[in-house]
Amino acid sequence: MLLEKIHSPEDVKKLDNYSLQNLAREVRSALIEKLSKHGGHVGSNLGMVEATIALHYVFDSPKDKIVYDVSHQSYAHKMLTGRAAAFLDESKYDDVTGYTEPCESEHDHFMIGHTSTSISLALGLATARDLKGERSNVIAVIGDGSLSGGEAFEGLDNAGEYATNFIVVVNDNEMSIAENHGGLYGSLAELRNTLGKSQNNYFKSLGFDYLYVESGNDVLALITAFKKVKDSTKPVVVHIHTKKGKGLPFAEQNKEAFHWSIPFDAKTGFQDWGSGESWGGVLSGYLMEKIKSDSKVVVIHSAVPAGIGFFAPQRKEAGRQFIDVGIAEEHAVALASGLAKGGAKPIYSTHSTFIQRTYDQLSQDLCANNNPATLLVTMSGADGMNDTTHLCIFDIALMSNIPNLAYLCPTCVEEAKAMMDYAIDRTLCPMAIRIPNGVAHREGEFDKDYSKVSYKMDKKGSKVAIIGLGDFYQRGVAVAAELAKQGVEATVINPRFASGVDVELLESLKADHQVVVTLENGVAEGGFGQKIATFYGNSNMKVLVKGLKKEFYDKVGFAELCDRNRLTPEQIAEDVKSALV
Amino acid sequence: MLLEKIHSPEDVKKLDNYSLQNLAREVRSALIEKLSKHGGHVGSNLGMVEATIALHYVFDSPKDKIVYDVSHQSYAHKMLTGRAAAFLDESKYDDVTGYTEPCESEHDHFMIGHTSTSISLALGLATARDLKGERSNVIAVIGDGSLSGGEAFEGLDNAGEYATNFIVVVNDNEMSIAENHGGLYGSLAELRNTLGKSQNNYFKSLGFDYLYVESGNDVLALITAFKKVKDSTKPVVVHIHTKKGKGLPFAEQNKEAFHWSIPFDAKTGFQDWGSGESWGGVLSGYLMEKIKSDSKVVVIHSAVPAGIGFFAPQRKEAGRQFIDVGIAEEHAVALASGLAKGGAKPIYSTHSTFIQRTYDQLSQDLCANNNPATLLVTMSGADGMNDTTHLCIFDIALMSNIPNLAYLCPTCVEEAKAMMDYAIDRTLCPMAIRIPNGVAHREGEFDKDYSKVSYKMDKKGSKVAIIGLGDFYQRGVAVAAELAKQGVEATVINPRFASGVDVELLESLKADHQVVVTLENGVAEGGFGQKIATFYGNSNMKVLVKGLKKEFYDKVGFAELCDRNRLTPEQIAEDVKSALV
């Protein structure tokens, strides 16, 4: 096996044409085998096999520096840079992360997971090289889908005026996670159709030289192209046309489902997602009803429509009441503000980790204008994605401190629906709803009015009050049960709002409570509980703020995270008891 | 006078060609008169006089909706939509804001002040129009400088695939605030030089139709062009070539100095900036020394280089060690991260209000990668810009809750220099420094080590400890003086770090203090003081968190803001005394 003998890019350079093609076959089979057993990003990695081999054949990494956008397509790169065992030996599958990781290898320069950042990061490396008077090639590899993100444009535009070596490989597989959206994709199609000759050339309009490679899965054609641009002294785009999912028929067919996959049957492509209830299912059902009952309702998404269960059939059914703006979160928020101002009822949804792109748009475009758009912040909390680059634990601090924005945290599906009912139909001020990972149900009536910050006291006890925000409400109930075993009948409160304090209710607790404990599924610093601690700062009330310590956790399991941060019901009850003394 | 008879756009439509040209002259003189007496955005408004008249002549506002980017060029629009008195009558100058403002007029659709947002906001209006089955024109007016912002690109790209009426007027005056930066500006120049015929057409590459108007200050030529695109059924860019500062010779000459101006001599253009010390002067002097002494130091800016005192001579002197990326804050942060990774010593500076654009880049591109870039967050605090859209009071909550980022707050110039010395030369982790508005000096030695969160106890007292962050340190000293009058010798602490707590020092206060009061020049929610309140939550220490209430303040003077938020030294001392009882 060739792959076992590749310990570094030096070994790739020694191969003849025939062996290079064999290596591509071996890399592809190893990818399919690991992906089917382990899950991961399927389509992009299969499409990038040949380009990765060609890059390492032509350029001299790590002296020449390759920066992968999102870096979810860097598996072949990892195999060729000393990490093949993590793809060949099942017991070592978890020795590497799913993204580039400087701790793993000198061939990886950044930890990357969000889109559209590679050009700016790589331009920084190129500029540092020039300041230091060194010579080398700097290459940014970016997929067509990532080009719709504003940060990628800003990077391209700035790079376009440099007179220096800077190579951007555009990996055009004609897809984002779902289909591409944006006028740019029309002109990329024109470039493909004319083999790069179309006059509508986005890259040239930003000052880049341009080279087109139709056979983006032909390692020899790619080598020829990369040799042409090696050591170039001005910015150049190499636009390569690849096939997403190449070599795995069902992934080539169903590109969206195999962008990222859980383990699957390597023969049939069957993915066993189970039959449990998911927030995607809940949200798509609910939103589709809203769409049908009101032609002014419009659901906006930015390239991860599966997050709200909007797959191809739902998107088709929603018609023009569903807008996928592509990877363009900033635009999505401003668009929602404009829609709300224009009298429509926009609902923009993205994951907690991606809402981070939009602080200024939330503040300026939406909240300062007080337009009644609704936001759904999905996959929020520490019990979901846990790669450092995809943590969903910072949104409470981010969103709960913006004026005019109510940040609602439902404790269950039923309450989420009540909140959405209120948010979507009102015509005053923006509202965001934090959608957790776990699907919980609760019986009872849920308030239909969220016009002002008000908490719900679900159980009146004394001495101790437990305020459990959103999906940590049930954890609060579990803490109450622990305390009850020890003879303390605690008050249980559902605060509903992360963005403010219910002065009246909190004041009332002073009469017969000594300890208040707040629970939130996210980083505590800057978040919800700190508002409560501040409220009681000038009183005798003891306040325990329970949430995660501010940190970039790297693939730490939820149970361990809770244990480390003293967030298990038992630990919390213990800390409350100590405070009671 | 014609202008006095213009009560709405209807009145503009009644004018003949000759009167339209006279109207332009009157609008321009009124602008010059008001601007010279009152200050404001000079260049962009003078350049947009004819285009604004032509827009209101051709389109039917407010049914047709015009959205101005940044909206700092909307003065002529205000004059033509019923607000001329605010430009003609000195006693009414402050009846209008310097930006579009929906509270003022039905012709203004959004409160806007940051750049690059108009296209997305206007596309929202256009989409709402289509969902409701209405017919009208939607026009976004955007300057060439704003095109470098990622949000504008995202908006253009998304709009490019709509089959509907959507008109973008690109006001190309060949300038950003300073000169433009980016490859795009090369192709805009090509378009101007070829009267719109160049093949390198950024707008066409994003799916837009395109029309060029060379005489962007000729009201009749503009009317002809706008008539051509009125009621068009697909997205179109009208690229108009205007002259920034048109009609005011020194503003035409010195475009950067007259982008925005304080009141000036209408004959000579003399601007009396006074001779007081400014942070711009301090920073430019300091940074230039660093640049000269170390070829790896590189100062990065995003289109407001005056903020660090880098005017044309300084920029020239710094050579390639100064990079203006244009309006592209996201890129700037990622570029800084790449530069730091590559071994350079990048210092990125922007105003507090604009750092809001970069939360995700700070978190992902910079801090998760722990690259040692330095950030200077200028004009921070409530005592500077006070338009709602330019508030500089949210950065503490934004930046102090990102892992790995030390957010340092100097109490004076000398301490800021000590902090910069440490930050720029270290090779571990990113560091941000909050630069206030007021320039203060203090004597004494300032620590050269900021490797871990540690506060400085400058005066040891008892009962009360005052923790004054950054430029509010001196306010803390004033509070201590107030308390001393009443027999309380308070402890005074300079916390230096907004981003964490000094556990040891805070623990030590428990021995002989009953009240801790924190002071910060920004919104308190999510900020510094709440960390202190949380730290003491489970103790008997009383904590008063003093900062601004979370709110979009609109042109509220600093003294009034302090008074409203009980932030005067007297009020603070009074509250402390009450808490002591």
Side-chain angles (χ1 to χ4, degrees):
Chain A
M1 197 178 190
L2 275 169
L3 192 47
E4 285 170 340
K5 294 178 199 133
I6 305 287
H7 303 294
S8 84
E10 285 308 306
D11 297 322
V12 177
K13 292 180 204 303
K14 293 174 192 154
L15 301 180
D16 61 18
N17 289 354
Y18 178 79
S19 302
L20 285 167
Q21 289 164 324
N22 272 344
L23 178 62
R25 272 187 284 276
E26 288 185 13
V27 167
R28 184 164 277 113
S29 334
L31 279 175
I32 293 173
E33 170 125 2
K34 175 170 177 179
L35 286 164
S36 65
K37 289 181 177 160
H38 181 272
H41 282 99
V42 180
S44 52
N45 280 298
L46 290 173
M48 271 295 291
V49 170
E50 289 78 11
T52 309
I53 294 172
L55 282 168
H56 282 297
Y57 185 87
V58 173
F59 296 102
D60 304 314
S61 176
K63 181 169 172 276
D64 291 338
K65 296 182 197 322
I66 309 168
V67 181
Y68 294 89
D69 206 86
V70 194
S71 74
H72 64 312
Q73 78 292 60
S74 62
Y75 297 3
H77 165 82
K78 293 199 177 197
M79 287 192 220
L80 304 182
T81 53
R83 289 167 279 180
F87 294 82
L88 295 170
D89 177 346
E90 196 166 349
S91 73
K92 295 185 175 169
Y93 278 176
D94 283 322
D95 286 2
V96 295
T97 71
Y99 303 94
T100 53
E101 172 51 84
C103 302
E104 281 176 16
S105 167
E106 60 177 348
H107 298 276
D108 292 10
H109 308 287
F110 300 99
M111 182 194 286
I112 299 181
H114 285 194
T115 71
S116 315
T117 72
S118 60
I119 296 167
S120 301
L121 292 169
L123 191 65
L125 294 179
T127 309
R129 170 200 64 196
D130 295 347
L131 281 171
K132 294 191 293 177
E134 296 171 356
R135 291 193 61 178
S136 67
N137 289 273
V138 174
I139 304 110
V141 177
I142 184 167
D144 52 328
S146 287
L147 289 176
S148 59
E151 190 177 349
F153 161 77
E154 290 183 357
L156 278 174
D157 180 39
N158 190 216
E161 66 168 2
Y162 278 63
T164 192
N165 172 280
F166 189 66
I167 299 162
V168 177
V169 175
V170 173
N171 170 33
D172 184 355
N173 60 25
E174 304 180 50
M175 283 292 282
S176 182
I177 298 170
E179 70 273 13
N180 279 313
H181 284 281
L184 169 61
Y185 296 100
S187 66
L188 286 188
E190 272 182 45
L191 284 167
R192 293 193 303 271
N193 296 338
T194 60
L195 301 178
K197 295 192 177 63
S198 164
Q199 288 176 5
N200 277 334
N201 189 313
Y202 171 67
F203 309 108
K204 284 188 179 176
S205 81
L206 297 179
F208 276 76
D209 281 348
Y210 175 83
L211 185 66
Y212 181 76
V213 182
E214 170 61 16
S215 312
N217 291 105
D218 175 344
V219 70
L220 303 181
L222 290 160
I223 286 172
T224 306
F226 294 150
K227 280 183 174 169
K228 275 189 198 154
V229 299
K230 189 178 181 184
D231 301 326
S232 68
T233 55
K234 67 171 297 231
V236 58
V237 161
V238 185
H239 178 187
I240 69 175
H241 185 194
T242 65
K243 180 160 240 165
K244 192 167 184 173
K246 170 85 176 173
L248 195 60
F250 42 80
E252 291 183 18
Q253 280 289 312
N254 193 350
K255 293 186 171 75
E256 186 174 348
F258 283 91
H259 173 79
W260 183 90
S261 178
I262 53 172
F264 55 90
D265 185 310
K267 291 216 174 56
T268 64
F270 177 70
Q271 300 164 314
D272 185 4
W273 287 99
S275 54
E277 201 182 11
S278 72
W279 272 104
V282 169
L283 292 172
S284 70
Y286 174 85
L287 293 171
M288 196 61 80
E289 270 182 40
K290 282 279 162 188
I291 282 172
K292 284 181 184 162
S293 67
D294 187 341
S295 64
K296 293 206 291 292
V297 167
V298 54
V299 172
I300 304 169
H301 221 279
S302 46
V304 281
I308 46 167
F310 268 59
F311 298 97
Q314 286 85 358
R315 301 201 289 263
K316 195 175 167 199
E317 192 175 351
R320 66 179 191 163
Q321 287 174 264
F322 177 82
I323 298 175
D324 185 343
V325 298
I327 295 169
E329 293 84 1
E330 299 185 290
H331 167 65
V333 169
L335 181 76
S337 179
L339 274 157
K341 173 73 184 177
K345 298 178 179 178
I347 302 142
Y348 170 50
S349 173
T350 192
H351 300 335
S352 162
T353 188
F354 300 134
I355 201 78
Q356 297 183 180
R357 280 275 160 92
T358 69
Y359 179 90
D360 193 50
Q361 290 71 33
L362 290 171
S363 175
Q364 294 265 321
D365 298 340
L366 184 58
C367 296
N369 282 285
N370 228 348
N371 289 329
T374 303
L375 306 171
L376 305 178
V377 182
T378 51
M379 299 194 70
S380 299
D383 49 338
M385 294 189 284
N386 64 11
D387 288 292
T388 304
T389 51
H390 286 74
L391 294 171
C392 289
I393 58 178
F394 299 105
D395 58 282
I396 301 177
L398 188 84
M399 305 194 67
S400 69
N401 298 314
I402 299 176
N404 294 354
L405 185 63
Y407 197 24
L408 303 176
C409 297
T411 58
C412 63
V413 167
E414 294 71 23
E415 193 170 31
K417 286 182 179 173
M419 288 171 171
M420 289 191 284
D421 281 345
Y422 178 80
I424 294 168
D425 286 325
R426 120 224 75 98
T427 54
L428 276 173
C429 74
M431 209 156 237
I433 302 172
R434 190 175 204 241
I435 305 294
N437 289 283
V439 182
H441 290 277
R442 289 172 65 205
E443 288 187 5
E445 284 294 299
F446 292 91
D447 207 331
K448 294 282 185 191
D449 179 14
Y450 298 88
S451 57
K452 68 178 182 62
V453 175
S454 65
Y455 299 176
K456 282 279 175 197
M457 190 182 291
D458 284 346
K459 185 180 158 224
K460 175 78 177 79
S462 64
K463 286 189 182 167
V464 174
I466 303 163
I467 308 183
L469 183 72
D471 60 331
F472 266 23
Y473 174 84
Q474 295 292 3
R475 189 165 294 246
V477 171
V479 172
E482 279 297 317
L483 289 171
K485 286 184 206 161
Q486 299 166 53
V488 178
E489 288 301 325
T491 295
V492 177
I493 293 166
N494 169 14
R496 313 190 308 159
F497 291 77
S499 45
V501 297
D502 181 336
V503 172
E504 201 180 322
L505 183 142
L506 294 184
E507 277 296 340
S508 77
L509 296 180
K510 286 181 179 172
D512 53 355
H513 291 75
Q514 299 157 35
V515 176
V516 168
V517 57
T518 67
L519 316 181
E520 62 200 290
N521 189 356
V523 167
E525 283 206 43
F528 169 70
Q530 296 205 332
K531 297 186 203 307
I532 308 292
T534 302
F535 176 84
Y536 286 119
N538 190 15
S539 79
N540 294 319
M541 187 75 82
K542 299 268 177 78
V543 181
L544 304 182
V545 174
K546 291 288 189 176
L548 301 175
K549 201 168 150 275
K550 173 174 81 169
E551 197 180 311
F552 285 119
Y553 300 96
D554 189 16
K555 285 174 293 306
V556 183
F558 184 58
E560 191 190 328
L561 260 190
C562 287
D563 190 59
R564 268 201 220 170
N565 286 281
R566 294 196 63 77
L567 286 172
T568 70
E570 296 73 20
Q571 290 168 327
I572 296 168
E574 209 176 296
D575 292 347
V576 167
K577 287 285 280 186
S578 310
L580 259 184
V581 178
Chain B
M1 196 178 191
L2 273 168
L3 192 46
E4 284 170 340
K5 296 179 198 134
I6 304 288
H7 302 295
S8 83
E10 285 308 306
D11 297 322
V12 177
K13 293 180 205 301
K14 292 173 193 157
L15 301 180
D16 60 19
N17 288 353
Y18 179 77
S19 302
L20 285 167
Q21 289 165 324
N22 272 344
L23 178 63
R25 270 187 286 276
E26 289 185 13
V27 167
R28 184 163 278 116
S29 332
L31 279 176
I32 292 173
E33 170 124 1
K34 173 169 178 180
L35 286 165
S36 65
K37 289 181 179 161
H38 181 273
H41 282 98
V42 180
S44 52
N45 280 297
L46 291 174
M48 272 295 292
V49 170
E50 289 79 10
T52 309
I53 294 172
L55 282 167
H56 282 297
Y57 185 87
V58 173
F59 296 102
D60 304 315
S61 177
K63 180 168 173 275
D64 291 338
K65 296 181 199 321
I66 309 168
V67 180
Y68 293 89
D69 206 86
V70 195
S71 74
H72 63 311
Q73 78 292 62
S74 62
Y75 297 3
H77 165 83
K78 293 200 178 197
M79 288 193 219
L80 304 182
T81 52
R83 289 167 279 180
F87 294 82
L88 296 171
D89 177 347
E90 197 167 348
S91 73
K92 295 186 175 169
Y93 278 177
D94 283 323
D95 286 3
V96 296
T97 71
Y99 302 94
T100 53
E101 173 49 84
C103 302
E104 282 177 17
S105 167
E106 61 177 347
H107 297 276
D108 292 9
H109 308 287
F110 300 99
M111 180 193 286
I112 299 181
H114 285 194
T115 71
S116 315
T117 70
S118 61
I119 297 167
S120 300
L121 292 168
L123 192 65
L125 294 179
T127 308
R129 170 200 65 197
D130 294 347
L131 282 170
K132 294 190 292 177
E134 295 170 358
R135 291 193 63 177
S136 66
N137 289 274
V138 174
I139 303 110
V141 176
I142 184 167
D144 52 327
S146 288
L147 288 176
S148 59
E151 190 176 350
F153 161 77
E154 290 182 359
L156 277 174
D157 180 40
N158 189 216
E161 66 168 2
Y162 278 63
T164 192
N165 173 280
F166 188 66
I167 299 163
V168 177
V169 175
V170 173
N171 170 33
D172 184 355
N173 59 25
E174 305 181 48
M175 282 292 282
S176 183
I177 298 170
E179 70 273 15
N180 279 312
H181 284 281
L184 170 60
Y185 296 99
S187 65
L188 286 188
E190 272 183 45
L191 285 167
R192 292 192 304 269
N193 295 338
T194 60
L195 301 179
K197 294 192 177 64
S198 164
Q199 287 176 6
N200 277 334
N201 188 313
Y202 172 66
F203 309 107
K204 284 188 179 175
S205 81
L206 298 179
F208 276 77
D209 281 349
Y210 175 83
L211 185 66
Y212 181 76
V213 182
E214 170 60 16
S215 312
N217 291 105
D218 175 344
V219 70
L220 303 180
L222 290 160
I223 286 173
T224 306
F226 293 150
K227 280 183 174 168
K228 275 189 197 153
V229 300
K230 190 178 181 184
D231 301 325
S232 68
T233 55
K234 68 169 297 230
V236 58
V237 161
V238 185
H239 179 187
I240 68 175
H241 185 193
T242 65
K243 180 160 238 164
K244 191 166 183 172
K246 171 86 176 173
L248 195 60
F250 41 80
E252 290 183 19
Q253 279 289 313
N254 194 350
K255 294 186 170 76
E256 186 174 348
F258 285 90
H259 173 80
W260 184 90
S261 178
I262 54 172
F264 55 89
D265 184 310
K267 290 213 175 59
T268 64
F270 176 71
Q271 300 165 314
D272 185 4
W273 287 99
S275 54
E277 201 183 11
S278 72
W279 272 104
V282 169
L283 293 172
S284 69
Y286 175 85
L287 293 172
M288 196 61 79
E289 270 182 41
K290 282 279 163 189
I291 283 172
K292 284 181 185 164
S293 68
D294 188 341
S295 64
K296 294 206 291 289
V297 167
V298 55
V299 172
I300 304 169
H301 221 280
S302 45
V304 281
I308 46 167
F310 268 59
F311 298 97
Q314 287 84 357
R315 301 201 291 264
K316 196 174 166 201
E317 193 176 351
R320 64 179 192 164
Q321 287 174 262
F322 178 82
I323 300 174
D324 185 343
V325 299
I327 294 169
E329 293 85 0
E330 299 184 292
H331 167 64
V333 169
L335 182 76
S337 179
L339 274 157
K341 174 73 184 179
K345 297 177 178 177
I347 302 142
Y348 170 51
S349 173
T350 193
H351 300 336
S352 162
T353 187
F354 300 135
I355 201 78
Q356 298 183 181
R357 280 275 159 92
T358 69
Y359 180 89
D360 194 50
Q361 289 72 33
L362 290 171
S363 175
Q364 295 264 321
D365 298 340
L366 183 59
C367 296
N369 282 285
N370 228 349
N371 289 330
T374 302
L375 306 170
L376 304 179
V377 182
T378 51
M379 299 194 72
S380 299
D383 48 340
M385 294 190 284
N386 64 11
D387 287 292
T388 304
T389 51
H390 286 74
L391 294 172
C392 289
I393 57 179
F394 299 106
D395 57 282
I396 301 177
L398 188 84
M399 305 194 65
S400 70
N401 299 313
I402 298 175
N404 295 354
L405 184 63
Y407 196 24
L408 302 177
C409 297
T411 58
C412 62
V413 167
E414 293 71 24
E415 193 171 33
K417 287 182 179 173
M419 287 170 171
M420 289 191 284
D421 281 345
Y422 178 81
I424 294 168
D425 286 325
R426 119 225 74 98
T427 54
L428 276 172
C429 74
M431 209 156 237
I433 302 172
R434 190 174 204 242
I435 306 294
N437 289 282
V439 181
H441 290 277
R442 288 174 65 207
E443 289 187 5
E445 284 293 299
F446 292 92
D447 207 330
K448 293 283 185 189
D449 179 13
Y450 297 88
S451 56
K452 68 179 182 58
V453 175
S454 65
Y455 299 175
K456 282 279 175 198
M457 189 181 292
D458 284 346
K459 184 181 158 225
K460 175 78 177 76
S462 64
K463 286 190 184 165
V464 174
I466 304 164
I467 308 183
L469 184 71
D471 60 331
F472 267 23
Y473 173 84
Q474 295 292 3
R475 188 165 295 245
V477 171
V479 172
E482 280 296 318
L483 288 170
K485 287 184 207 163
Q486 299 166 53
V488 178
E489 289 301 324
T491 295
V492 177
I493 293 166
N494 169 13
R496 314 189 307 158
F497 291 77
S499 44
V501 297
D502 180 337
V503 172
E504 203 180 319
L505 184 142
L506 293 184
E507 276 297 340
S508 77
L509 295 180
K510 286 181 180 171
D512 52 356
H513 290 76
Q514 298 157 37
V515 176
V516 168
V517 58
T518 67
L519 315 181
E520 61 200 290
N521 189 355
V523 167
E525 284 206 43
F528 168 71
Q530 296 206 333
K531 296 186 203 306
I532 309 291
T534 302
F535 175 84
Y536 286 119
N538 190 15
S539 79
N540 293 320
M541 187 74 82
K542 300 266 176 79
V543 181
L544 304 183
V545 174
K546 291 288 188 176
L548 301 175
K549 202 168 149 272
K550 173 174 82 170
E551 198 179 312
F552 285 119
Y553 300 95
D554 190 16
K555 284 175 293 306
V556 184
F558 183 57
E560 190 189 331
L561 259 189
C562 288
D563 190 59
R564 267 202 220 170
N565 286 281
R566 293 197 63 76
L567 285 172
T568 69
E570 296 73 20
Q571 290 168 328
I572 295 169
E574 207 178 296
D575 292 349
V576 167
K577 288 285 281 186
S578 310
L580 259 184
V581 179

